[in-house]
Amino acid sequence: MAWNSQGGGQGPWGGGGGNGGDGGPKGPTPPDIEEILRRIQDKLKSFLPGGAGGMSGLILIVIAVVVLWGASGFYRVDPGQQGVELLFGKFVKHTTPGLNYWFPAPIGEVLKPNVERTNTVTIGFREISQTRRGRGVGGRDVPQESLMLTSDQNIVDIDFVVQWRIKNAADFLFNIRDPEGTIKIAAESAMREIIGQTPLEGA
């Protein structure tokens, strides 16, 4: 019994050869990478002055970036502050209030601590809270700081306040790890030495 041939090179089950014909199904067309790259290049060229002459445009952009970077080196020191100029993290000099110029980051850096503000350290007590006017309300005693021994072996309870200002900004920033803690320890030590040499009867 002869097979009835329909559709050309098809087999007995209508299978083979379907992908090779002109009218067969086709998969999705892959994107043209070269066309995409060309479009990106055209967009980049449109942002550069001069269009296709991109070299001169790049030079102008580099010059503009350098100028802006250099202009960022201007800084202002407010009244009461002292400028501290650093070069690669190393102290160079102090500057006075006003408009100044120094190397921009990351080459240079400027710190501006306040040298006229009066800082306060309490020894022997801590203020619990403050009113809206800035006045302390109540306090908490710190016995390990306030109890001191006199020369005649008596114990006195002393609370006091130390007020201090920054005299040298560079020393304050780089030569003392914890300025407030150091001042507290030094003041408490000095007070204990004075009390230890003073009898209670004569105090």
Side-chain angles (χ1 to χ4, degrees):
M1 179 177 177
W3 294 100
N4 187 8
S5 176
Q6 294 179 359
Q10 293 183 353
W13 294 279
N19 293 333
D22 293 339
K26 294 182 180 180
T29 305
D32 190 348
I33 303 298
E34 294 182 358
E35 179 66 20
I36 294 174
L37 292 177
R38 186 183 63 78
R39 291 179 180 178
I40 294 175
Q41 290 177 354
D42 291 340
K43 289 182 178 181
L44 289 177
K45 289 179 181 180
S46 65
F47 287 108
L48 297 176
M55 197 60 187
S56 60
L58 286 174
I59 293 175
L60 291 176
I61 291 177
V62 171
I63 293 175
V65 170
V66 171
V67 170
L68 291 175
W69 175 77
S72 66
F74 288 99
Y75 68 95
R76 179 181 179 82
V77 179
D78 293 330
Q81 295 180 338
Q82 188 176 64
V84 179
E85 294 182 348
L86 309 178
L87 185 63
F88 296 110
K90 184 178 180 180
F91 168 70
V92 177
K93 65 177 181 177
H94 295 109
T95 54
T96 57
L99 186 63
N100 300 275
Y101 183 84
W102 188 238
F103 295 104
I107 297 176
E109 184 181 1
V110 179
L111 304 176
K112 297 177 284 187
N114 194 314
V115 295
E116 292 186 2
R117 182 179 59 206
T118 300
N119 304 282
T120 302
V121 175
T122 59
I123 300 176
F125 72 101
R126 299 292 184 274
E127 292 183 351
I128 294 178
S129 62
Q130 290 185 343
T131 63
R132 293 181 179 178
R133 296 182 179 181
R135 296 179 180 177
V137 178
R140 177 175 59 86
D141 189 53
V142 184
Q144 59 267 31
E145 295 178 1
S146 62
L147 297 180
M148 301 183 184
L149 189 65
T150 64
S151 63
D152 53 359
Q153 303 302 309
N154 289 302
I155 297 177
V156 294
D157 191 338
I158 298 179
D159 298 339
F160 61 101
V161 176
V162 177
Q163 294 182 331
W164 55 279
R165 291 183 179 180
I166 300 173
K167 183 178 180 180
N168 186 300
D171 290 340
F172 172 78
L173 293 171
F174 305 114
N175 293 342
I176 303 176
R177 178 171 297 179
D178 181 12
E180 184 172 343
T182 302
I183 291 172
K184 176 180 288 188
I185 293 173
E188 183 180 346
S189 177
M191 183 63 74
R192 288 186 182 277
E193 182 178 358
I194 294 172
I195 297 299
Q197 296 174 357
T198 305
L200 180 61
E201 294 296 330

